[in-house]
């Protein structure tokens, strides 16, 4: 009879021990891996911190160099031959004394020469010495240049002259008729403009017109759309043509200020320099002064010149200058006055002079 051989199943206790052994082994492996990973992470963090700490040492600090000029030793005067001995000094001209003193009267990058007039109400001159000491030049620091008109200098690139050509400008004045003196100074001012500048002249009486209009009656009366006023380059050829037409033009009509002011401030681009000269009391002063903020929203200074007419007309021009931050000048009996002396002649007691 055959014998059956069987294997007895392992004891349950042995299996538990084996499982515990395997679990303990896995736990040790995990602990070792954790330690290794932790060590690597710590090393990496340390390396990063080390790099952050050491990198700035590779950048050389900026060196600031200050230069001080050496003290110059004062040279002892040496005996030199007097080259001027025996020479007679050349007398100064009458106009050189006016241009001797230079003072800044404008908030500008460059001071503008201002003539020193010892006698503020004395004859400033309407001959060749008028406006002595002023130049147009490129004096505003950016190549723009400047202008002067009846002794009032301004810096800028674009200048517009608003000049009275009404019938009263034909009246006599010291040194000739008013219109002849105006033309002479206007031509002088235009001819001295830098070629880098642009300019325009707006003539006015009862209407306002430009050099392109031969008939003042065809000018603008202030109603309807404002006509376009063009800028002209201050080249020699344009100046020559402009001067020729100015000299051919004659005065006529009465006076209105609103049309020329409106035309000037409607120009594109806007002017930098605005001169307004008149010898009469305009019929539309209230309109011009009341609408000045709308006409001139950027408050561009308007330099005004009251020409041979003190009293109320001069006071009106002074008010326009004050409202816009411009300068007021009075030409009276051949004398140029400004400041408090000019203001003295704006009282109503001078209305009949």
């Amino acid at each position: 009879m055959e014998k059956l051989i069987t294997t007895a199943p392992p004891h349950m206790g042995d299996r538990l021990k084996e499982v515990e052994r395997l679990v303990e082994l896995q736990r040790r492996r995990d602990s070792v891996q954790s330690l290794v990973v932790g060590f690597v992470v710590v090393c990496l963090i340390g390396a990063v911190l080390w790099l952050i700490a050491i990198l700035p040492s590779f950048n050389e600090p900026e060196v600031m160099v200050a230069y001080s000029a050496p003290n110059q030793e004062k040279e002892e005067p040496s005996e030199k031959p007097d080259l001027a001995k025996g020479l007679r000094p050349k007398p100064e001209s009458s106009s050189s004394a006016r241009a001797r003193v230079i003072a800044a009267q404008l908030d500008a990058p460059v001071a503008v020469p201002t003539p020193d007039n010892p006698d503020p109400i004395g004859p400033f001159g309407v001959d060749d010495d008028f406006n002595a000491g002023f130049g147009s030049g490129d004096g505003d620091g950016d190549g723009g240049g400047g202008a002067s008109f009846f002794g009032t200098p301004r810096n800028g690139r674009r200048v517009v002259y608003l000049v009275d050509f009404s019938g009263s400008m034909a009246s006599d004045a010291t040194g000739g008729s008013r219109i002849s003196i105006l033309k002479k100074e206007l031509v002088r001012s235009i001819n001295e403009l830098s070629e880098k500048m642009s300019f325009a002249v707006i003539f006015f009486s009862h209407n306002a017109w430009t050099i392109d209009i031969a008939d003042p009656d065809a000018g603008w009366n202030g109603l309807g759309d404002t006509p376009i006023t063009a800028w002209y380059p201050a080249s020699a050829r344009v100046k020559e043509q402009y001067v020729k037409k100015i000299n051919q033009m004659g005065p006529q009509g009465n006076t209105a200020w609103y049309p020329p002011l409106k035309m000037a401030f409607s120009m594109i681009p806007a002017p930098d320099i605005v001169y307004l000269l008149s010898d009469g009391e305009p019929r539309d002063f209230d309109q011009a002064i009341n609408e000045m903020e709308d006409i001139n929203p950027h408050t561009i200074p308007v330099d005004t010149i009251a020409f041979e007419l003190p009293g109320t007309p001069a006071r009106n021009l002074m008010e326009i200058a004050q409202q816009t931050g411009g300068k007021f000048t009075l030409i009276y009996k051949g004398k140029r006055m400004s400041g408090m002396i000019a203001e003295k002649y704006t009282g109503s007691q001078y209305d009949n002079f």
Side-chain angles (χ1 to χ4, degrees):
M1 181 175 166
E2 293 182 4
K3 295 182 179 180
L4 294 176
I5 300 174
T6 60
T7 302
H11 195 269
M12 182 61 67
D14 295 339
R15 295 188 61 184
L16 290 174
K17 290 180 180 180
E18 182 67 18
V19 170
E20 290 176 355
R21 187 182 66 81
L22 293 176
V23 170
E24 182 64 22
L25 180 62
Q26 184 64 37
R27 185 181 295 114
R28 289 178 181 178
R29 289 177 180 175
D30 292 343
S31 298
V32 172
Q33 289 179 355
S34 298
L35 290 174
V36 172
V37 171
F39 178 77
V40 172
V41 170
V42 170
C43 291
L44 288 176
I45 293 175
V48 171
L49 294 176
W50 179 79
L51 289 174
I52 294 175
I54 199 174
L55 280 179
S57 64
F58 292 102
N59 296 328
E60 296 184 0
E62 295 183 358
V63 180
M64 297 182 65
V65 179
Y67 171 76
S68 299
N71 295 329
Q72 296 182 353
E73 298 182 358
K74 185 176 180 181
E75 297 182 359
E76 296 294 335
S78 58
E79 295 184 0
K80 296 182 180 180
D82 187 1
L83 300 178
K85 186 176 181 180
L87 297 179
R88 300 177 65 182
K90 182 178 178 181
E92 294 183 353
S93 64
S94 60
S95 61
S96 64
R98 297 183 182 275
R100 188 181 305 132
V101 178
I102 298 179
Q105 294 208 356
L106 296 176
D107 292 333
V110 180
V112 179
T114 304
D116 178 24
N117 192 4
D119 181 10
I121 61 174
F124 192 82
V126 291
D127 52 12
D128 292 338
D129 284 338
F130 205 125
N131 205 32
F134 293 106
S136 54
D138 301 334
D140 65 347
D142 59 0
S148 65
F149 190 51
F150 281 101
T152 302
R154 281 287 179 186
N155 288 333
R157 296 176 181 272
R158 296 174 296 276
V159 53
V160 57
Y161 304 87
L162 316 181
V163 290
D164 192 338
F165 264 60
S166 62
S168 58
M169 288 293 291
S171 303
D172 292 334
T174 303
S177 65
R178 297 178 185 179
I179 195 66
S180 64
I181 296 172
L182 168 59
K183 287 182 177 181
K184 183 176 182 179
E185 175 64 8
L186 180 60
V187 168
R188 182 209 62 79
S189 181
I190 291 174
N191 281 332
E192 289 189 359
L193 297 178
S194 165
E195 290 189 355
K196 298 177 181 179
M197 297 180 63
S198 300
F199 75 101
V201 180
I202 299 177
F203 310 90
F204 66 89
S205 55
H206 53 288
N207 291 333
W209 68 96
T210 60
I211 201 73
D212 301 318
I213 300 177
D215 183 10
D217 290 332
W220 187 55
N221 62 1
L223 301 176
D225 295 336
T226 307
I228 297 175
T229 302
W231 288 110
Y232 287 86
S235 64
R237 183 178 63 85
V238 171
K239 291 177 183 178
E240 182 181 358
Q241 295 176 352
Y242 228 101
V243 168
K244 182 178 180 181
K245 291 187 177 183
I246 289 173
N247 288 329
Q248 294 174 348
M249 195 177 300
Q252 60 172 293
N254 50 35
T255 307
W257 292 349
Y258 175 82
L261 286 167
K262 181 66 173 177
M263 288 173 62
F265 290 111
S266 297
M267 298 179 71
I268 301 176
D272 301 318
I273 309 170
V274 180
Y275 294 115
L276 170 62
L277 178 144
S278 182
D279 77 332
E281 187 171 3
R283 66 175 189 269
D284 59 353
F285 171 72
D286 290 339
Q287 180 186 11
I289 197 69
N290 291 335
E291 298 186 21
M292 184 57 67
E293 292 185 2
D294 295 330
I295 297 174
N296 183 11
H298 301 293
T299 317
I300 299 171
V302 179
D303 295 322
T304 59
I305 300 100
F307 200 63
E308 294 294 349
L309 196 61
T312 300
R315 185 171 64 251
N316 292 341
L317 285 167
M318 182 178 68
E319 188 173 345
I320 288 179
Q322 291 175 343
Q323 184 171 339
T324 61
K327 294 182 178 180
F328 169 67
T329 302
L330 173 65
I331 308 296
Y332 184 48
K333 294 183 178 179
K335 304 174 184 179
R336 178 187 181 274
M337 293 168 276
S338 60
M340 295 180 63
I341 297 176
E343 292 182 18
K344 184 180 72 172
Y345 287 89
T346 60
S348 57
Q349 66 270 28
Y350 292 97
D351 283 349
N352 297 323
F353 281 63

